[in-house]
Amino acid sequence: MIKRIILACTVLVFITLGFALAQSTAGNKPVSPRMRIIIDNDFSGDPDGLFALTHLMLSQSVDVREIIGSHLKVGDGFDPSKTQADNAAKKAAELLVILKMNGRVPVVAGSNTGMLNDTTPVKSAAVDMIIKEALRTDTQLPLYVVCGAGLTEIASAVLTNPAIAGKLTLIWIGGPEYADLALPPPGYSNPEYNLNIDIAAARAVFNHSQLKLWQVPRNAYRQALLPYSQLQLKIKPQGEAGKYLGNVIEALMARIQQWHLNIGETYVLGDSPLVLLTALQSSFEADPSSSEYVLKNCPKINAQGGYDYNAGGRNIRVYTRLDINLMFNDFFAKLELNNK
C-alpha cells in the first residue's frame, strides 16, 4: 500500500512538473511556426505583393523559407524592362531591410521570361530551391508555395521533378471567374492578369500536374479592398514599414492620375489572401475556416487562357468568399506591434 502511494505521488510530481514546463514554454513563445512558406511574387509590379510579403514576414505561425521574385508579362506597364524578376528580387530585399529582417530569408530571382510551352521548364535558382525544400525529410511542417503572379517557377519545378507534386500545397492568386460561380467585372481583361503572365505555366499546372491547388480567382481576390482612409490611419503611421507601403500606394495613385484614370478611394490588395489562407488558419483542425470555397474538377486551361471543363480533373479548392476583416485587422495589428 505504501509503495502504491509513493508511486502515485511520484507520477503526480512528474505530471505537475511537465505541466509547469509546458506552461513556461508556451508563456515564453505562445506562437511558433506550424507551416513552411515559399513566397513567389512579381514584386516589381503591382505593389499588393509587397503588402502580402510584409504581412507574412510579421506572422509568427509561418516559417518563410524562400522569397522568389518573378517576372511580369512582356512590356507590362508596372515594369516594362527585360529584368523584371531581378527587379522583383531587389524590391523584396529592399523591403526586408526596411523591416530589419535582411539576411533572414534567401531572396532569389526567378526566370525573367515565361515558359516556351507547357512541357518545357525554365531553369533558375528559384526552381532548384523549390525542389530542394519540397524534398526535405527533416521536418514534418507542411509546405505551401504561395504565388501572387505567374506560375513559371512552380510549374517548372514540378515539370523538372514531378515527385514534389504530392509534397506541397500551391495557393495561387489568379485565373478568371468560373461561369457557374461568378460574373466577370465590367471592362474585365481577358485573359485574367496573373494567368496572362505565363499561360504556358498555368497550362502545365492545371493540365499536366497533380499539384494540390487552392485557387483564388479574380472574383475572390477583388474582395480584398483596402480603403485609402485605412491606408492613412492604420498603415502609413506605423514606422518605416508602414511609411514605405503607404508611399508606394500613394505614388501609384499619383501615377494613375497622370493617365487620366480615377480609381476612387480603394485599392485591391489582391495578394493578401495568401496570408489569410496560411498564417491565419484556425487554431484547432487547422484550415482557413472563416473563408469559403467549393471543390471543383480542375479544368484544363486552353491556349487562350480560358477554362475547358475536364471531367477527370483532380479536385481543387476554388475560393469564393474571403474573410477580409480578419485579414486586414491582423495586418494592422501586426504593423502596430512591430512599430513598438
Side-chain angles (χ1 to χ4, degrees), residues 41-44 68-72 79 81-92 107-113 153:
N41 218 304
D42 53 356
F43 299 110
S44 70
I68 298 169
S70 59
H71 68 89
L72 298 154
D79 180 359
S81 75
K82 295 182 179 180
T83 56
Q84 295 166 340
D86 295 322
N87 296 343
K90 290 176 183 176
K91 280 282 188 182
V107 180
V108 296
S111 172
N112 282 305
T113 59
E153 269 62 51

Side-chain angles (χ1 to χ4, degrees), residues 60 238 332-340:
Q60 299 177 51
Q238 300 303 330
F332 300 152
K334 283 173 178 170
L335 277 176
E336 184 175 349
L337 288 168
N338 185 64
N339 190 39
K340 288 186 177 180

Side-chain angles (χ1 to χ4, degrees), residues 224-300:
L225 290 174
L226 177 75
Y228 181 52
S229 58
Q230 287 188 320
L231 180 77
Q232 292 176 300
L233 288 176
K234 300 289 189 180
I235 294 177
K236 197 169 181 181
Q238 300 303 330
E240 289 301 312
K243 180 180 179 181
Y244 172 82
L245 294 173
N247 288 344
V248 166
I249 293 292
E250 289 184 333
L252 178 59
M253 292 172 73
R255 182 180 172 193
I256 288 173
Q257 286 179 350
Q258 294 177 2
W259 298 337
H260 305 291
L261 296 175
N262 187 344
I263 64 170
E265 55 182 287
T266 64
Y267 196 83
V268 180
L269 292 184
D271 289 343
S272 290
L274 297 173
V275 190
L276 175 67
L277 301 182
T278 53
L280 300 180
Q281 291 185 13
S282 53
S283 49
F284 298 102
E285 300 167 330
D287 203 49
S289 60
S290 62
S291 297
E292 296 176 0
Y293 65 89
V294 297
L295 290 177
K296 294 188 74 71
N297 294 101
C298 185
K300 289 185 179 293

Side-chain angles (χ1 to χ4, degrees), residues 11 18 63 113 123 137 146 148 194 206 277 315 321:
V11 170
D63 178 10
T113 59
K123 295 181 179 180
T137 58
V146 298
N194 280 351
F206 278 71
L277 301 182
N315 275 347
R321 189 191 63 79

Side-chain angles (χ1 to χ4, degrees), residues 22 34 197 304 306 322 334 340:
R34 59 176 181 172
I197 290 174
Q304 292 73 44
L322 302 168
K334 283 173 178 170
K340 288 186 177 180

Side-chain angles (χ1 to χ4, degrees), residues 32-309:
S32 59
R34 59 176 181 172
M35 64 185 68
R36 294 172 290 149
I37 297 284
I38 295 175
I39 305 168
D40 183 348
N41 218 304
D42 53 356
F43 299 110
S44 70
D46 189 329
D48 60 345
L50 297 171
F51 282 74
L53 176 58
T54 301
H55 197 171
L56 278 169
M57 292 303 299
L58 295 177
S59 298
Q60 299 177 51
S61 65
V62 301
D63 178 10
V64 179
R65 302 298 304 168
E66 299 152 17
I67 300 169
I68 298 169
S70 59
H71 68 89
L72 298 154
K73 187 71 176 173
V74 174
D76 189 284
F78 281 110
D79 180 359
S81 75
K82 295 182 179 180
T83 56
Q84 295 166 340
D86 295 322
N87 296 343
K90 290 176 183 176
K91 280 282 188 182
E94 176 185 276
L95 180 57
L96 292 188
V97 171
I98 293 169
L99 290 169
K100 297 180 173 56
M101 296 181 180
N102 48 309
R104 184 178 299 186
V105 181
V107 180
V108 296
S111 172
N112 282 305
T113 59
M115 291 170 52
L116 294 175
N117 54 57
D118 59 4
T119 58
T120 306
V122 301
K123 295 181 179 180
S124 71
V127 170
D128 295 339
M129 289 176 71
I130 292 173
I131 295 171
K132 182 178 179 180
E133 188 64 34
L135 294 177
R136 283 178 59 188
T137 58
D138 61 335
T139 177
Q140 296 299 312
L141 294 181
L143 175 62
Y144 291 83
V145 176
V146 298
C147 295
L151 293 170
T152 305
E153 269 62 51
I154 183 61
S156 296
V158 78
L159 283 171
T160 302
N161 190 333
I164 71 171
K167 300 181 182 297
L168 62 90
T169 298
L170 169 63
I171 306 179
W172 181 46
I173 306 290
E177 300 75 12
Y178 288 83
D180 59 331
L181 297 178
L183 294 172
Y188 67 95
S189 59
N190 189 26
E192 183 272 334
Y193 184 88
N194 280 351
L195 192 152
N196 196 39
I197 290 174
D198 193 341
I199 294 177
R203 285 166 60 85
V205 167
F206 278 71
N207 302 7
H208 305 310
S209 83
Q210 291 300 311
L211 281 165
K212 183 178 180 181
L213 173 61
W214 296 0
Q215 183 186 5
V216 183
R218 179 167 52 196
N219 57 291
Y221 70 69
R222 278 169 47 85
Q223 297 170 25
L225 290 174
L226 177 75
Y228 181 52
S229 58
Q230 287 188 320
L231 180 77
Q232 292 176 300
L233 288 176
K234 300 289 189 180
I235 294 177
K236 197 169 181 181
Q238 300 303 330
E240 289 301 312
K243 180 180 179 181
Y244 172 82
L245 294 173
N247 288 344
V248 166
I249 293 292
E250 289 184 333
L252 178 59
M253 292 172 73
R255 182 180 172 193
I256 288 173
Q257 286 179 350
Q258 294 177 2
W259 298 337
H260 305 291
L261 296 175
N262 187 344
I263 64 170
E265 55 182 287
T266 64
Y267 196 83
V268 180
L269 292 184
D271 289 343
S272 290
L274 297 173
V275 190
L276 175 67
L277 301 182
T278 53
L280 300 180
Q281 291 185 13
S282 53
S283 49
F284 298 102
E285 300 167 330
D287 203 49
S289 60
S290 62
S291 297
E292 296 176 0
Y293 65 89
V294 297
L295 290 177
K296 294 188 74 71
N297 294 101
C298 185
K300 289 185 179 293
I301 303 290
N302 59 40
Q304 292 73 44
Y307 300 130
D308 288 338
Y309 180 68

